């Protein structure tokens, strides 16, 4: 007799009435929202968006949507995953209730935008203060400022959505401008400060859009970045962009605020003698890798005395970087001697060429942050209304930031999970299964002790509990 050998065990499946919970790892985000006083903040900012006698309050509605997005949901209806486990998540608003809530946002967009911005600023101030020595505001100095990355992206949607427009890639959708805080890999993955939804045909090099999203981002920074008169400590901030942010109008705006900048720059057509000078590598110095090591095949140089910059803010300098062409890349006029030459502008008070170049090149981290933001809700805007989609983008930002704040305040420095992206959090922790049991008049969540992330879940819950007690007893700024 022949016996079939399966790759994995083939177990029969049957339904059960036991209280089993998928996504039980989201319990850490539930505890975190409770610890930071999310319900009270939402009640103060958004009570006008629900009837006075409504059972489901704004904090529960927005919290459920943020949890759903963090777990990988793409539509408001995906909250049914939470609704299926009331023992862990409590009563969750129905799809109709959420729809009515979003409809009221369409009627009062300014009120929601203001309430959401002030709420997230309060949360950020509270969490950063709890981060102690890793507080990004405390670490920011003129020599090592807080970096705000600004970049545009494309979100493709159906062409009949309100204010969608044709994009340069031949599709329809939006071109959101995003401002993000990068406070160093050692302190977490960074966070999103502002998302400005724009028509798909808006250019990435719009100085007006850069200024608007920068102002929104600056309004999100805690009081540590302002003096007693409300004036910004601009020297403690650095705005970093690609070449789309190198317009003179935007750079002069940054200079007027005292903010440092580091922006990629498209080299103009220069004379042949400059190209020959670029080939003379004896004037250059070795570039640094991301971990601070010296590279043998890349060079950097301060070219401010050779390439003239007109009508830029005082103190603006231009730096060049030369490295071998990547496989398949086509050489341009400046890519001589087999090297690709790129440039960036900065007004930083530091003059270490290799350091400035390495700091500018870490701008690539913002691309990962945008990718994560898209997988957390921005990539699929579900509503027809432009205002509702902007609110959805704000919720996606909140879902991403909850994990970033968790890494910053609840995890010890140097923990391996401190640099996990959202997809890894979902696979390792949020998707963990559990079982709710009741005993001794107390309800408990059981999780498998053999799960690889079980110890991490317990460690996070202990850290969140400690934070809650310190906030409760006034040991931390509320």
């Amino acid at each position: 007799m022949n016996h079939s050998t399966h790759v994995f065990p083939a177990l029969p499946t049957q339904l059960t009435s036991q209280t089993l919970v998928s996504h039980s790892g989201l319990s850490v985000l539930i505890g975190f929202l409770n610890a930071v006083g999310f319900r009270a903040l939402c009640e103060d900012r958004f009570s006008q968006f629900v009837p006075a006698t409504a059972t489901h309050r704004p904090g529960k509605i927005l919290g459920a949507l943020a949890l759903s997005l963090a777990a990988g949901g793409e539509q408001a209806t995906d909250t049914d995953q939470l609704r299926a486990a009331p023992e862990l998540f409590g009563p969750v608003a129905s799809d109709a209730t959420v729809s009515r809530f979003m409809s009221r946002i369409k009627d009062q967009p300014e009120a929601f935008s203001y309430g959401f911005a002030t709420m997230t600023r309060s949360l950020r101030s509270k969490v950063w203060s709890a981060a102690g020595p890793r507080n990004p505001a405390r670490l920011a100095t003129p020599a090592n400022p807080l970096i705000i990355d600004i970049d545009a992206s494309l979100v493709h949607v159906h062409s009949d959505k309100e204010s969608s427009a044709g994009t340069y890639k031949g599709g329809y959708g939006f071109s959101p401008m995003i401002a993000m805080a990068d406070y160093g890999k050692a302190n977490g993955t960074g966070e999103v400060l502002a998302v400005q939804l724009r028509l798909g045909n808006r250019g990435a090099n719009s100085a007006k859009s850069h200024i608007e999203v920068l102002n929104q981002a600056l309004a999100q920074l805690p009081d540590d970045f302002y003096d007693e008169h409300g004036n910004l400590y601009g020297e403690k901030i650095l705005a970093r962009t690609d070449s789309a942010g190198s317009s003179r109008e935007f750079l002069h705006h940054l200079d007027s605020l005292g903010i440092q900048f580091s922006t990629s720059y498209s080299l103009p057509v220069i004379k042949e003698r400059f190209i020959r000078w670029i080939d003379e590598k004896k004037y250059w110095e070795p570039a640094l890798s991301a971990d601070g090591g010296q590279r043998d095949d890349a060079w950097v140089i301060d070219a401010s005395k050779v390439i003239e910059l007109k009508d830029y803010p005082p103190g603006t300098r231009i730096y060049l970087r030369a490295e071998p062409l990547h496989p398949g890349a086509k050489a341009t006029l400046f890519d001589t001697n087999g090297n690709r030459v790129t440039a960036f502008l900065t007004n930083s008070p530091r003059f270490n060429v290799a350091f400035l170049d390495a700091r500018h090149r870490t701008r690539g981290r913002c691309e990962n942050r945008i990718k994560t933001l898209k997988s957390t809700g921005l990539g699929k805007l579900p509503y027809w209304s432009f205002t509702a989609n902007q609110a959805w983008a704000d919720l996606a930002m909140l879902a991403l930031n909850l994990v970033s704040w968790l890494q910053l305040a609840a995890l010890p420095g140097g923990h391996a999970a401190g640099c996990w992206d959202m997809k890894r959090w979902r696979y390792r922790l949020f998707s963990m299964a559990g079982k709710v049991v009741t005993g001794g008049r107390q309800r408990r969540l059981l999780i498998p002790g053999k799960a690889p992330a079980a110890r991490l879940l317990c460690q996070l819950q202990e850290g969140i509990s400690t934070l809650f007690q310190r906030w409760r007893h006034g040991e931390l700024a509320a």
Side-chain angles (χ1 to χ4, degrees), residues 149 151 180 182 362-371:
D149 287 307
D151 203 358
M180 300 149 281
D182 183 355
T362 56
R363 199 195 72 83
R365 286 204 290 261
C366 82
E367 302 292 346
N368 291 333
R369 212 167 290 123
I370 292 175
K371 181 181 68 175

Side-chain angles (χ1 to χ4, degrees), residues 320-455:
L320 302 183
R321 175 189 177 91
E323 61 183 332
L325 287 169
H326 299 295
K330 294 182 179 180
T332 66
L333 174 65
F334 305 109
D335 300 333
T336 60
N337 201 25
N339 292 315
R340 165 63 45 88
V341 178
T342 56
F344 69 96
L345 306 177
T346 185
N347 63 346
S348 175
R350 300 184 65 162
F351 289 84
N352 185 324
V353 181
F355 167 82
L356 293 174
D357 172 71
R359 183 175 69 179
H360 182 72
R361 287 179 62 79
T362 56
R363 199 195 72 83
R365 286 204 290 261
C366 82
E367 302 292 346
N368 291 333
R369 212 167 290 123
I370 292 175
K371 181 181 68 175
T372 301
L373 183 62
K374 287 185 175 181
S375 71
T376 315
L378 183 64
K380 292 189 177 180
L381 302 172
Y383 297 101
W384 175 85
S385 165
F386 181 85
T387 301
N389 282 328
Q390 175 65 68
W392 185 263
D394 291 337
L395 286 170
M397 173 177 63
L398 174 63
L400 184 150
N401 286 344
L402 286 176
V403 176
S404 298
W405 294 335
L406 199 67
Q407 292 172 312
L408 184 65
L411 277 177
H415 195 285
C419 60
W420 285 3
D421 64 6
M422 184 67 78
K423 289 184 177 180
R424 189 165 177 82
W425 278 98
R426 289 169 181 164
Y427 184 74
R428 304 286 294 182
L429 189 71
F430 296 160
S431 62
M432 188 183 298
K435 182 177 181 179
V436 178
V437 299
T438 303
R441 298 182 180 181
Q442 189 177 18
R443 192 175 287 170
R444 296 185 298 276
L445 174 66
L446 303 182
I447 59 172
K450 294 183 179 180
R455 291 175 62 87

Side-chain angles (χ1 to χ4, degrees), residues 287-295:
L288 298 178
S289 61
D291 58 3
Q294 182 173 302
R295 290 189 54 175

